[in-house]
Amino acid sequence: MNAIEIEVIRNALTAAAAEMDVTVWRTSRSTIVRELLDYSTAVFDAEGWNLAQSARIPSHLNSMSHALREILARFIPPEEWGPDDVVITNDPYCGGQHLPDILAFKAVFHEGTRIAFAGTLCHHIDVGGLAAGSYAATATEIFQEGLRIPPLKIIAGGVRNDGVWAMIRQNIRKPDLLLGDLSSQLASLDVGAAAIRRLAARFGAPAMIEAGGRILDMSEAGMRAAIAAMPDGIYEFEDFLDDDGVEVGKPIRLHVQMTIAGDEARVNLSGCSPQALGPVNATLASSTAAVMFALMCCAEPGLHMSAGCYRPIKVEAPEGSVVNARAPAAVAHRIAATHRLLNAMNGALHQAVPDRIPAAYYGNSYVTTFQTVAADGGREVLVEIEIGGSGAHPAKDGVNAFSSGMHNNSNIPIEMIEAQMPLTVTRYELRPGSGGAGERRGGLGLVREWRVDAPRCLFTANMDRFVHAPYGLAGGQSAAPGMLELDRDGDTIAVPPKSDNLELRAGDVIRLATSGGGGFGDPAQRDAASRSRDERLGYA
C-alpha cells in the first residue's frame, strides 16, 4: 500500500473510534458516563494491539490493549470469537483495572477473515461492594469491592446472555443506570464495527491487516525518535501516597528508575512499596499505562497514539508490589497509585528534558460518593471525581481546575446533580493560594460543597494528597494539600480523606478543597505584572 492509502485508513480508524465515543456520550444513562465522561473507545488490530483511539482517558486507553490480549491468550482464544459475539469483563486480575470499569470487545470480520476488534470501557456508577459507587476506602481484598465478571460472552451469535444480564442486575445498587450504560457500550461497538467493515469493503482484508502493521511501525518510529532526543542516562525520582486508608499514616513509596539508552527506555519500578492492605494498589496494566503516557507526552506533536509507541519502552515491576498487585489485593482506588506514578515519572523526565516537563499536578482523583436514602427508603447514588490544578510549566503558569494526568474528565453540572439528587451544591469555586509559588505559578485547586437534603445519606471518600503535597520543580514551591470537612450544627469537623459510609443527615454540608499544582522556578523571579494579576484575580 502507498503512504496515502495508509493515511486514509489511519484517519478513518481514528474517526471510527471518535464515532464510537459520541455514541456512548449520546446514549448513556448515568452522570458518571454522560456528564463526567469517564469512558473510552478504541480500535485494535486482529491480534489485539491498539491502532486508534478517541480523545478520552489515558488510564483506560493505554491499558485496553493489555486487557484484550490477556483475554485472547488466557480466556477466549481468537478462534472462538464470532462476528456477532461481544466479550465483557471488569476483573482487574483478568486484564482490567478496577471493578467499576467494564470492558467490552467485539471482533470485526470481512469475508470470513478477522481484521480488527472494537473496544469500549465505561466507568459504571456502581457494581456492588461495601460502599455505593464501589469505591470502598477501607476494603482489604477485592471480594469486598463488588461484582467480579470474568471474561465471558455477554452476546454470543447475536443473542444476549440473559442469565448474566440478570445476575448483574441482582448485584448492584442502580441496575437501570448500569445496564443502560452497558447497552450504550454495545451500541458503540456496533457503530465501530460497521465503520471498520466499510473500510474493509473498500480496501479488502489483506490491505486492512497490512495497514494495521504499518500504523504500529509509524508510531514506534515516532516514539523511538522522541526517546533518542533525550540524553542517555539513569534518572530517578520518587513520590508518596499518604497511606492506604487502612494502615493510616503509613506512606507508600512510588519510585522510578528510568534508563535512557539510544532510542529505548527501561523503567524499573522495583523501588516501589510492597502492595498495600488497603485499596490503592494497581495492576500491571494500570501502572504500565502511566509509564507509557509519561513518555508519550514527551514526543513531538503529531505522534499517532497506538500500541506501536509501547515497543521501545520496557517496564520492570515485581509482582506483589503496589504497582503490580497480586490477587486478591484490593484495587478500587488504583488511580491513586498511577497518578502518583505519573508524578514520579515526570520528576525523572524533568532531569532528562527540563524544558518540557511541568511541576506536579494535583495527582489524585478526589472521589466522593453519596447514597441518599429517602423517607420511603428510595435510594439515589452520585459519584463525583473532582480535580485540582495543573503544575506550572517552564514557559507558563499552571492551569486552574484542570483535569490532568491519568484522567480526562469533565465535571458534573450542578444543575444536573440538583435535578436528580436530594443534594444542593452550596459552593463551587477556585481555591485561592492553593497553587505552588514560583516564577511560574501552579494552577489552583477547587472548593466544592454539597448539602444533604435527604433524611439520611451515606458518604464515602477515597482520595489522597492530604499530607504529601504536589511538588514544585527548579525552585518552585509545593502546592497546598487537600482538605475535607463536615459542617454540622454550627461545628466544623475534619473528615478523613479515606472514609466509608459516613452517616450524614439533612442539613449536613460536606466541603472538599483540592490541591493545586506545584510551582516552577524561583518565586523571587516572578515578574511584577504576573504578581499584580494574581492579586487582582484573587489567586494569591
Side-chain angles (χ1 to χ4, degrees):
M1 301 186 73
N2 63 49
I4 292 175
E5 290 171 322
I6 295 294
E7 279 298 290
V8 168
I9 291 176
R10 183 178 71 84
N11 283 279
L13 292 175
T14 302
E19 191 177 0
M20 293 167 65
D21 178 347
V22 172
T23 301
V24 174
W25 175 52
R26 295 297 296 271
T27 63
S28 53
R29 298 281 299 279
S30 71
T31 51
I32 195 169
V33 179
R34 189 186 68 246
E35 305 295 338
L36 202 139
L37 306 180
D38 200 342
Y39 68 91
S40 296
T41 58
V43 174
F44 307 83
D45 71 5
E47 306 305 318
W49 295 102
N50 178 9
L51 290 179
Q53 60 196 39
S54 57
R56 291 263 38 90
I57 313 294
S59 180
H60 296 167
L61 295 166
N62 286 335
S63 68
M64 290 173 72
S65 181
H66 180 108
L68 177 55
R69 287 182 289 107
E70 189 154 341
I71 291 169
L72 294 172
R74 293 177 51 202
F75 300 100
I76 306 175
E79 62 271 14
E80 294 183 11
W81 294 62
D84 297 311
D85 295 347
V86 174
V87 172
I88 66 168
T89 187
N90 71 339
D91 195 330
Y93 297 108
C94 298
Q97 292 210 6
H98 69 161
L99 296 182
D101 287 350
I102 298 180
L103 291 142
F105 297 104
K106 182 183 182 74
V108 184
F109 291 79
H110 177 70
E111 296 179 347
T113 299
R114 188 181 72 256
I115 56 171
F117 288 90
T120 65
L121 188 159
C122 281
H123 182 151
H124 289 267
I125 193 166
D126 184 85
V127 289
L130 287 174
S134 308
Y135 252 102
T138 57
T140 57
E141 55 184 6
I142 196 170
F143 306 112
Q144 300 167 334
E145 296 186 315
L147 178 66
R148 292 174 74 185
I149 307 171
L152 55 79
K153 292 185 180 181
I154 191 68
I155 295 179
V159 178
R160 191 179 76 186
N161 188 328
D162 287 335
V164 171
W165 201 263
M167 182 269 296
I168 294 173
R169 173 178 287 278
Q170 195 78 357
N171 281 277
I172 57 181
R173 292 176 175 86
K174 300 297 292 182
D176 290 340
L177 291 180
L178 184 147
L179 295 175
D181 288 346
L182 183 55
S183 296
S184 178
Q185 288 184 258
L186 301 180
S188 174
L189 294 177
D190 287 341
V191 167
I196 297 166
R197 285 195 296 266
R198 287 195 299 270
L199 268 182
R202 177 179 175 184
F203 290 99
M208 293 292 292
I209 293 170
E210 179 189 347
R214 295 270 293 277
I215 289 168
L216 295 174
D217 291 345
M218 290 162 56
S219 294
E220 179 185 1
M223 193 70 248
R224 287 189 181 277
I227 295 171
M230 301 179 192
D232 286 359
I234 299 174
Y235 307 98
E236 297 190 48
F237 198 87
E238 65 185 21
D239 203 347
F240 293 85
L241 290 170
D242 298 343
D243 56 46
D244 67 354
V246 177
E247 297 181 296
V248 177
K250 179 181 177 181
I252 297 169
R253 184 189 194 213
L254 280 302
H255 179 271
V256 165
Q257 183 190 75
M258 180 180 66
T259 302
I260 302 295
D263 62 358
E264 294 188 346
R266 187 175 75 252
V267 178
N268 188 328
L269 304 179
S270 60
C272 295
S273 290
Q275 68 185 48
L277 186 60
V280 298
N281 301 291
T283 62
L284 186 60
S286 298
S287 299
T288 300
V291 171
M292 300 302 176
F293 178 65
L295 284 159
M296 290 159 74
C297 285
C298 288
E300 292 294 331
L303 173 70
H304 179 68
M305 305 300 179
S306 80
C309 296
Y310 311 156
R311 292 174 176 172
I313 305 168
K314 308 301 179 188
V315 180
E316 301 167 358
E319 188 179 7
S321 65
V322 71
V323 292
N324 187 7
R326 182 187 294 115
V331 295
H333 200 44
R334 92 289 180 214
I335 197 73
T338 56
H339 274 305
R340 207 55 43 80
L341 180 57
L342 177 57
N343 283 151
M345 280 292 301
N346 284 342
L349 283 164
H350 168 72
Q351 300 167 36
V353 282
D355 60 326
R356 309 198 74 169
I357 302 299
Y361 71 101
Y362 53 91
N364 177 53
S365 291
Y366 294 90
V367 181
T368 59
T369 68
F370 297 83
Q371 181 177 212
T372 59
V373 184
D376 63 0
R379 297 175 181 240
E380 299 294 337
V381 174
L382 172 69
V383 179
E384 292 235 57
I385 303 177
E386 301 305 329
I387 59 171
S390 72
H393 187 272
K396 62 180 72 174
D397 289 346
V399 182
N400 300 327
F402 185 69
S403 186
S404 306
M406 294 309 295
H407 57 202
N408 183 27
N409 300 129
S410 183
N411 64 343
I412 301 176
I414 292 171
E415 297 83 357
M416 189 67 67
I417 293 171
E418 295 180 348
Q420 297 184 359
M421 298 283 299
L423 297 171
T424 300
V425 179
T426 55
R427 187 177 174 193
Y428 188 35
E429 60 190 35
L430 294 177
R431 182 187 179 191
S434 55
E439 183 177 4
R440 305 294 183 184
R441 174 187 49 77
L444 302 186
L446 290 169
V447 177
R448 191 163 169 106
E449 290 181 348
W450 302 262
R451 187 187 70 220
V452 176
D453 299 327
R456 181 171 175 243
C457 178
L458 298 174
F459 173 76
T460 292
N462 205 335
M463 52 187 77
D464 204 84
R465 281 296 198 202
F466 282 51
V467 177
H468 295 88
Y471 60 78
L473 286 175
Q477 296 181 2
S478 298
M483 181 177 64
L484 185 65
E485 297 175 327
L486 166 64
D487 289 345
R488 171 180 285 174
D489 299 333
D491 295 325
T492 297
I493 306 162
V495 176
K498 298 179 177 70
S499 300
D500 276 333
N501 294 319
L502 178 66
E503 286 272 0
L504 303 180
R505 57 181 186 246
D508 285 351
V509 174
I510 288 286
R511 178 169 50 258
L512 170 65
T514 70
S515 299
F520 195 99
D522 183 355
Q525 300 301 312
R526 188 161 179 81
D527 63 85
S530 296
R531 292 178 184 275
S532 176
R533 181 175 181 271
D534 290 345
E535 293 177 4
R536 185 175 72 255
L537 295 175
Y539 291 168

